[in-house]
Amino acid sequence: MAQRNAVIVEGLTKSFGKTRALEGIDFTVGEGSVVGLLGPNGAGKTTTVRILTTLIKPDGGRAEVAGIDVLKHPEQVRARIGLTGQYAAVDEILTGRENLIMFGQLYRLTHASAKRRADELLERFELTDAANRTVKTYSGGMRRRLDLAASLLVTPPVLFLDEPTTGLDPRSRNGMWEVIGDLIKDGTTVLLTTQYLEEADQLANRIVVIDRGKVIAQGTANELKNQVGGERLEITVPHGTDLERAESALINTAGQAALDEGGVQIDPVNWRLTVPFPAGAKGLPVAVRQLDEAGVTLADLALRRPTLDDVFLTLTGHAAEEGNGNGLKEDSEKAA
Amino acid sequence: MSEHTLTSPAGIATGAVSPPLRQVSRGQLASIVVDSALLAKRSLMRVPRQPDWLFGATIQPVMFILLFRYVFAGAIPIPGTSSVDYIMSGIIVQGLVFGSINTAVGLSEDIKKGLMDRFRSLPMPRSSILLGRILADLMLQVFVTAISIGVALAVGFRPNANPAEWLGAIGLMALMAFTLSWIGAIIGLTLRSTEAVTSIGLVWIFPLTFASSAFVMPQTMPGWLEAFAKNQPVTLIIDAVRGLWTGYYPQASSHTALYAVIWLVAVCIVAIPTAIWAYERRMAN
């Protein structure tokens, strides 16, 4: 046994009324590792985290966190976890420092220790200047950092980050990634949920892809990419190009592979089209000529390894960032 | 209670320089008390920071006192006592009944903002979450009611109670505020939107406070309403508080206070488990 598991999930099921949020989820998180739970809205990510953090009870299955059975000893689990939710759960009316001291005391720190720890964390997350302002005045990124700090007051062995960057602007998101990256370097075990493939790729050692309450794939980012097969041909066309025409030209060029592996992905905002392209570099000259003959003008053309977006599309037949209607309420309503 | 040092794994550890963090371990009961007090303190901290909220919470009872004192008191003769004393007692209790909405709105907002989830993921007794809120609301009610009584005294309310009777009246009002907070909790935990909480949280209060002995004698109401007004708990509480303050008992019963207490305890026996049930149910989803 190479390493102990900090989180064990076996056959978890959960329904909300008629909505089946989880249909039997299994995965593990090794001690000191970071696992990204990746899936679209409503896939069951938040439900899984809420079960593991003892906020709700599953209908079936079992789970262990830090070696403790979540259903049998929830109160012991709570002493060993930190949770940072999708919506910054800090008190707006209190200052940053007051929030951390209060949560520290609720984690049973003495007042003096809670105070000292609060100051350390404020410093670490660059909130010292804002420490005595009410949270109401904080930006989204500052709130998330404070929320994260609140889950680190007693250095929990297992940290749950439920969509830590949802709703943040790109700059704050990068800031959060840096902060989380540092935590990970320190050896904290993290279970992270995200609907951003880029985020899972960036932060997680292993990725568990879930969709409609089931695990549909897991492995390292590389393993998942390999599972989807070969390289992708990505073209960018000038604004105003007939995308349908470009699409059919691409299918012609890529051949059967395009249809077998998810077809052409179209990004109409960036005028970009992507298709599985097993022929690789050798096939490029032919591709360029065929596209030219089909009358498709190219602004850019590139060959690249599959991204997690491609993985998701191949595994589920739909893109990761669109909801799937099934159990959709669960994630979006959770904050209510 | 004992203290122990937190064994801090590598990493987010505090570094070699700072001394280790100290954690306290307490028994279950001590935890409930300490954590409820912590959460109550947190709820009360918002009061000085939201002066507009405090102003709103105080101005309404004060406005009622002034209006009823100068607009209605002259028009509502009460045989056997001064109508000012009669109405002031009623209005002070009425203000407390309205205050139960605070618990409903407070809990509803904590759930909405995700704070409830954070509290519930902490190693603290979950009963403290409700208790802390109710404790804080009780203290606010005491504060607002003290202001109301002060204003009433200033505009001619003349209780003739001895210290024991004052204590009795205050105790009874505190028990009522505590009881109604649980009803507020049920409303706040059951309804999903804050708007619904605010309107439903108030709507049950109007018939109970107006169809009571708060402002007029129930004898002046139509027969069917009189029967309700004379026997419903808010009337009993108002009559008891008024009796303790002024010695005036319209229903000629010295046991009014006892009946009021029995009513309140009975409501607590039903409302507290119901609130806990509503809490569990809300949290399970």
Side-chain angles (χ1 to χ4, degrees):
Chain A
M1 198 167 80
Q3 106 191 120
R4 289 178 47 203
N5 283 321
V7 177
I8 301 171
V9 173
E10 283 172 12
L12 281 188
T13 56
K14 176 77 185 174
S15 296
F16 297 103
K18 283 185 183 155
T19 311
R20 300 188 64 182
L22 297 182
E23 307 204 21
I25 294 250
D26 303 85
F27 66 89
T28 57
V29 182
E31 222 166 62
S33 76
V34 183
V35 166
L37 206 53
L38 174 69
N41 259 336
K45 305 182 298 288
T46 296
T47 303
T48 306
V49 168
R50 289 173 67 82
I51 290 171
L52 292 175
T53 53
T54 78
L55 295 178
I56 55 173
K57 290 195 175 96
D59 299 335
R62 61 180 292 280
E64 265 181 33
V65 170
I68 297 160
D69 190 302
V70 169
L71 283 166
K72 288 188 190 134
H73 304 289
E75 67 296 335
Q76 290 179 34
V77 169
R78 292 198 279 272
R80 290 168 174 78
I81 57 169
L83 167 66
T84 291
Q86 202 172 144
Y87 295 83
V90 282
D91 193 327
E92 299 197 309
I93 314 283
L94 305 188
T95 67
R97 177 177 282 117
E98 285 166 349
N99 264 295
L100 292 184
I101 293 174
M102 171 182 72
F103 288 124
Q105 287 181 287
L106 291 172
Y107 268 115
R108 299 167 186 279
L109 291 178
T110 62
H111 188 256
S113 284
K115 232 169 140 173
R116 187 159 52 78
R117 185 67 177 144
D119 285 334
E120 284 168 9
L121 288 165
L122 288 165
E123 171 97 45
R124 175 178 175 142
F125 291 122
E126 293 171 17
L127 290 168
T128 305
D129 290 341
N132 295 321
R133 272 168 34 202
T134 58
V135 173
K136 220 191 294 185
T137 66
Y138 283 24
S139 69
M142 289 163 79
R143 276 180 201 224
R144 291 300 170 92
R145 296 208 300 278
L146 184 67
D147 194 24
L148 185 58
S151 61
L152 296 174
L153 283 154
V154 294
T155 325
V158 184
L159 186 59
F160 294 90
L161 304 177
D162 188 17
E163 305 211 3
T165 65
T166 297
L168 291 186
D169 60 68
R171 212 173 120 239
S172 310
R173 178 178 302 172
N174 285 334
M176 257 327 250
W177 282 357
E178 267 174 43
V179 166
I180 296 169
D182 286 346
L183 281 180
I184 293 167
K185 265 186 241 149
D186 289 341
T188 312
T189 306
V190 178
L191 178 65
L192 163 102
T193 79
T194 181
Q195 42 180 322
Y196 303 117
L197 306 160
E198 199 188 350
E199 187 160 282
D201 201 358
Q202 176 108 5
L203 297 173
N205 311 121
R206 266 182 60 243
I207 297 171
V208 175
V209 186
I210 68 172
D211 188 41
R212 297 168 209 240
K214 284 183 189 138
V215 174
I216 55 169
Q218 50 182 314
T220 63
N222 270 332
E223 283 165 4
L224 288 177
K225 286 172 187 170
N226 288 335
Q227 206 172 323
V228 189
E231 290 166 298
R232 297 300 196 263
L233 177 65
E234 191 173 88
I235 64 166
T236 307
V237 292
H239 286 210
T241 302
D242 180 351
L243 288 173
E244 271 177 40
R245 197 160 137 208
E247 183 185 5
S248 58
L250 265 186
I251 291 175
N252 255 337
T253 304
Q256 193 58 35
L259 302 173
D260 291 347
E261 295 180 27
V264 179
Q265 262 175 283
I266 301 177
D267 173 357
V269 178
N270 297 308
W271 298 90
R272 191 180 295 144
L273 298 94
T274 310
V275 71
F277 194 67
K282 280 183 299 200
L284 271 183
V286 180
V288 173
R289 197 167 56 240
Q290 281 179 341
L291 288 169
D292 187 43
E293 279 163 10
V296 178
T297 316
L298 295 175
D300 191 21
L301 174 139
L303 203 58
R304 61 165 177 77
R305 298 210 51 204
T307 65
L308 284 170
D309 271 309
D310 304 319
V311 174
F312 216 91
L313 195 70
T314 312
L315 291 174
T316 67
H318 57 87
E321 268 146 59
E322 73 192 29
N324 59 18
N326 176 23
L328 189 63
K329 278 167 74 184
E330 171 250 326
D331 273 352
S332 52
E333 218 177 60
K334 214 55 264 169
Chain B
M1 193 200 279
S2 66
E3 282 192 16
H4 62 269
T5 303
L6 194 61
T7 43
S8 175
I12 319 151
T14 53
V17 221
S18 29
L21 297 172
R22 302 194 75 77
Q23 263 180 321
V24 185
S25 53
R26 304 184 184 97
Q28 178 75 4
L29 196 64
S31 296
I32 292 177
V33 173
V34 172
D35 293 340
S36 301
L38 265 171
L39 290 184
K41 180 182 154 207
R42 165 238 162 198
S43 293
L44 291 173
M45 277 165 89
R46 70 193 49 233
V47 175
R49 292 187 191 167
Q50 293 180 306
D52 49 341
W53 181 89
L54 185 62
F55 181 74
T58 316
I59 197 69
Q60 190 191 323
V62 167
M63 189 65 82
F64 264 112
I65 285 169
L66 295 177
L67 287 175
F68 275 79
R69 165 65 184 85
Y70 292 110
V71 179
F72 295 108
I76 307 173
I78 307 290
T81 187
S82 121
S83 56
V84 173
D85 288 347
Y86 187 91
I87 290 176
M88 290 301 111
S89 309
I91 210 129
I92 289 164
V93 175
Q94 186 226 29
L96 274 167
V97 180
F98 273 94
S100 67
I101 187 95
N102 292 337
T103 309
V105 173
L107 284 174
S108 177
E109 286 189 340
D110 281 353
I111 294 174
K112 197 184 228 170
K113 295 191 171 151
L115 266 167
M116 197 66 99
D117 279 350
R118 162 136 279 148
F119 289 141
R120 279 166 28 90
S121 76
L122 296 177
M124 60 182 272
R126 288 182 170 178
S127 49
S128 293
I129 301 172
L130 286 183
L131 276 173
R133 161 67 57 185
I134 281 169
L135 199 64
D137 289 339
L138 189 59
M139 288 163 89
L140 277 176
Q141 290 267 57
V142 169
F143 176 78
V144 171
T145 305
I147 292 177
S148 296
I149 294 174
V151 173
L153 291 172
V155 297
F157 175 45
R158 292 291 171 262
N160 55 18
N162 63 34
E165 287 165 331
W166 266 102
L167 218 60
I170 290 166
L172 189 56
M173 286 191 289
L175 177 62
M176 181 186 77
F178 175 79
T179 307
L180 295 182
S181 254
W182 288 101
I183 296 180
I186 295 169
I187 293 168
L189 292 165
T190 307
L191 301 174
R192 301 260 158 179
S193 81
T194 311
E195 292 75 20
V197 167
T198 319
S199 55
I200 308 284
L202 283 176
V203 85
W204 64 279
I205 292 174
F206 285 105
L208 277 177
T209 52
F210 280 90
S212 78
S213 67
F215 312 115
V216 298
M217 303 196 71
Q219 291 90 308
T220 63
M221 300 174 190
W224 57 272
L225 191 58
E226 181 189 346
F228 169 78
K230 269 189 174 163
N231 295 297
Q232 58 116 331
V234 173
T235 292
L236 279 173
I237 295 158
I238 290 171
D239 286 351
V241 170
R242 185 189 284 130
L244 287 162
W245 267 335
T246 68
Y248 176 78
Y249 289 101
Q251 300 194 53
S253 165
S254 51
H255 296 310
T256 316
L258 180 67
Y259 295 148
V261 170
I262 292 172
W263 252 110
L264 290 171
V265 171
V267 172
C268 275
I269 288 172
V270 179
I272 294 176
T274 308
I276 292 168
W277 172 81
Y279 175 71
E280 296 296 336
R281 207 181 60 123
R282 177 74 180 266
M283 291 306 139
N285 278 295

